[in-house]
Amino acid sequence: MSIFIDHNTRLLIQGITGREGSFHARQCAAYGTKVVAGVTPGKGGTMFDAIPVFNTVAEAVNTTRANCCLIFVPPRFAGDAIMEAAESGIPLIIAITEGIPLHDMLKIKNSLTFTASRLIGPNCPGVISPGAAKAGIMPGAIHLPGGPIGVVSRSGTLTYEVVHQLTKAGIGQTTCLGIGGDPVVGTDFIDCLTAFEKDPATRGIVMVGEIGGSAEEEACEFITSKVTKPVVGFIAGLTAPKGRRMGHAGAIVNGSSGTATAKIAAMERSGVQVCRDLGRFGDFCTQIFTSEGA
Amino acid sequence: MKIHEYQAKELFRQYGIPCPNGGIATTLDEARRVVDAMPGYPVMVKAQIHAGGRGKGGGVKLATSPADLEERVAEILGMTLITAQTGPAGKVVHTVLLEQGLDLAQELYLSLAVDRRTAQILIIASATGGMEIETTATADPGTLVRIEVNPLSGLADHHLRRTAFGLGLTGEEAKHFTILLRHLYHFFVDCDCLLVEINPLVITTDGQVLALDAKVEIDSSALFRHPDLASLYDPTEEDPFEAEARVHNVNYIKLNGTIGNMVNGAGLAMATMDLIKNAGAEPANFLDVGGGATADMVEHGFRLILADPEVRGILINIFGGILRCDVLAAGIVEAATKTGITLPVVIRMEGTNVEEGRKILAASGLNLITAADLSDAAQKIALVASGDSL
């Protein structure tokens, strides 16, 4: 079991003929994901490897019953690609693209409330349910199928680091996903925690946050009242200076809000076990999840 | 992208938002000419740098006569202004804004921003302007007016009424205020702003409502559709190395420590900085070379790090995954040879062909130290920082 994607996922790739899109379409397929369609306007009717390419998402969905799409479209067109997918009835949309203007995302996030689609990202590494399906840019080989841990993070490579250490410690994963480093994202920590709490195969959760905004604090309030499974937390950015955007558009400390210290304190108040030494993350998880029976 | 107060006010005027009369000067002569065109004294002299807290740092002064003006302008032009936001090095003032002094009846606070969680546009206003909004929020949260506007349906009259009444405004003042707020909202949306803050927004004794200050941050990701706004970028406000990094598509921020570091991915880069601190040293920078990492990027990364004379050692942390470590290692050796690095470099890399990669580093004859994992990297960088041999 897993959340969001599994053996039944039928993946469509928007921007499949681009450099990133084509590379990762092959990587997802090589992992065993059913990559059923690609969309590149103007290239409909051609084939990419054994994958049919369509001009529109609606056409691709009608023909292939795709139920998840992965977006590699450049930032100025990515908002349009997200809405095309939503209006074509795709239930899960994962946007990898970095640099979508904030005001575009404001309109998209509000428009999505009128559709049945869930958006993950943008500016995220995607989702993987190890052993079942990979809809993202993460290296598949570092994951260990079989659960019992779910991983949710705002970051990309930091998530890989955390997963790699879990795998080395012999701790498998149900699903690992990055929600994205932008200020406005489609799916937040609370949505993922809700899904992990409901998933019977997930018996413990790893939550990786970073400076900026208050998504971690809000998630911690939710954990206090609604999450019964053990949660291990990590926050990046204790040494980040105030007022500077640390790579991710959303990673900025404004005044006294959004600091790593405040997020760690919120985690500790809500009973999350916070790992302070990333170098020993795997050992820390072994200790916590073993003692909490995960 | 932040812009200067005077640039923000020029945009404000285009959108019908009243600002005090004035102009900018980069020399004393220019300052005299600007003030000669104004109706008289007093005149405000305001340093134009991007950081806030200018008044406390001595960058905003009142001139009451021509002689006074000369003194104030001479004090501010060319000064190194240090505020809470500039860092200890401060920023050199190249331009001043000269504005007509006004008789103030009331100072308010008004800003537009984005609520990340709900994806709504936020109007935040307060009847106590002039101080930091966070101070007001802590000291007197009851005086804050917070109105959410759905970006799809846009600004409606009731948002304007609720804000004006919330501030206790009535009559002509309320009318002028709501007109200003309507224009400000359109400016915020049209120009892809991340933040617009007017602190203070003032009501004069003769009933005018004006933006006495203007802080505007524009979304850099949206500049492709605003070539006019892109031209407002001021390279002198940015650290020259940070500006150069941007040209090479890497994210670099200079910090005050001695351990340089180069990492792929922003989250892992922040976590690596924290790891250096945990190991008892201080990071010299934040440097994110992106999700992938090429030999070219590594070379530019080395050059940026080496330009900082405080750096005593370097930690490279690349979690490649799909990236081939033998290719990366060859790139590191080439870049280290080209840049003539003599400092100790601790390298932690993960990805395919990692063993071949380590062999290439070991055979290079350079001062390249391989770390087995992150924990090992932390220990080795701690030794480098303390000056011990490895």
Side-chain angles (χ1 to χ4, degrees), chain A residues 9-213:
Chain A
T9 296
R10 298 174 63 79
L11 191 64
L12 176 160
I13 303 209
Q14 277 181 276
I16 194 165
T17 52
R19 196 171 59 96
E20 294 286 306
S22 56
F23 178 79
H24 288 292
R26 289 188 178 118
Q27 291 283 331
C28 291
Y31 193 74
T33 314
K34 297 182 190 81
V35 183
V36 298
V39 168
T40 299
K43 294 199 176 161
T46 62
M47 296 293 282
F48 175 84
D49 296 346
I51 305 162
V53 180
F54 298 87
N55 282 324
T56 68
V57 177
E59 232 184 306
V61 171
N62 285 338
T63 313
T64 67
R65 290 177 297 112
N67 58 14
C68 174
C69 88
L70 191 58
I71 295 179
F72 290 98
V73 172
R76 64 177 78 182
F77 311 115
D80 187 39
I82 292 169
M83 288 317 298
E84 183 186 358
E87 288 171 22
S88 306
I90 293 199
L92 184 65
I93 303 164
I94 301 167
I96 306 299
T97 309
E98 177 174 6
I100 299 179
L102 177 67
H103 283 260
D104 292 4
M105 274 312 299
L106 288 178
K107 290 202 190 91
I108 290 161
K109 176 137 180 167
N110 284 284
S111 301
L112 285 174
T113 60
F114 302 106
T115 73
S117 299
R118 167 182 296 290
L119 170 67
I120 294 175
N123 190 13
C124 79
V127 187
I128 183 168
S129 294
K134 171 175 119 111
I137 59 173
M138 65 289 283
I142 60 170
H143 298 79
L144 182 62
I149 300 302
V151 178
V152 57
S153 164
R154 260 168 77 184
S155 174
T157 49
L158 178 54
T159 319
Y160 311 163
E161 175 68 46
V162 161
V163 168
H164 182 63
Q165 290 197 36
L166 286 174
T167 295
K168 278 202 299 185
I171 304 172
Q173 306 97 37
T174 50
T175 298
C176 307
L177 76 156
I179 59 173
D182 276 3
V184 172
V185 290
T187 294
D188 61 16
F189 279 122
I190 295 176
D191 300 321
C192 300
L193 291 167
T194 306
F196 279 134
E197 177 71 14
K198 254 202 256 170
D199 175 36
T202 301
R203 295 206 301 274
I205 302 164
V206 167
M207 174 175 154
V208 180
E210 64 187 32
I211 56 159

Side-chain angles (χ1 to χ4, degrees), chain B residues 259-262 298 301-302 305-306 311-318 329 332-333 335-337 339-348 361-362 364 366-371 377 380-381 384-385 390:
Chain B
I259 300 300
N261 59 95
M262 183 177 346
V298 172
F302 272 144
I305 292 171
L306 292 174
V311 171
R312 298 284 168 266
I314 300 173
L315 172 59
I316 299 182
N317 184 15
I318 304 286
I332 292 172
V333 170
T337 312
T339 48
I341 279 191
T342 51
L343 295 173
V345 182
V346 176
I347 299 157
R348 183 282 175 124
L361 295 178
S364 71
L366 297 163
N367 198 0
L368 305 173
I369 305 143
T370 303
K380 286 183 167 154
I381 210 66
V384 167
L390 287 161

Side-chain angles (χ1 to χ4, degrees), chain B residues 264-289:
Chain B
N264 66 331
L268 190 59
M270 280 189 272
T272 304
M273 285 161 48
D274 296 348
L275 194 83
I276 291 168
K277 173 95 172 179
N278 256 344
E282 292 285 339
N285 63 276
F286 166 88
L287 176 55
D288 166 20
V289 295

Side-chain angles (χ1 to χ4, degrees), chain B residues 185-205:
Chain B
Y185 183 88
H186 290 143
F187 165 70
F188 182 77
V189 174
D190 282 1
C191 293
D192 274 289
C193 296
L194 300 178
L195 174 75
V196 174
E197 187 178 64
I198 305 178
N199 190 21
L201 177 80
V202 297
I203 302 174
T204 59
T205 46

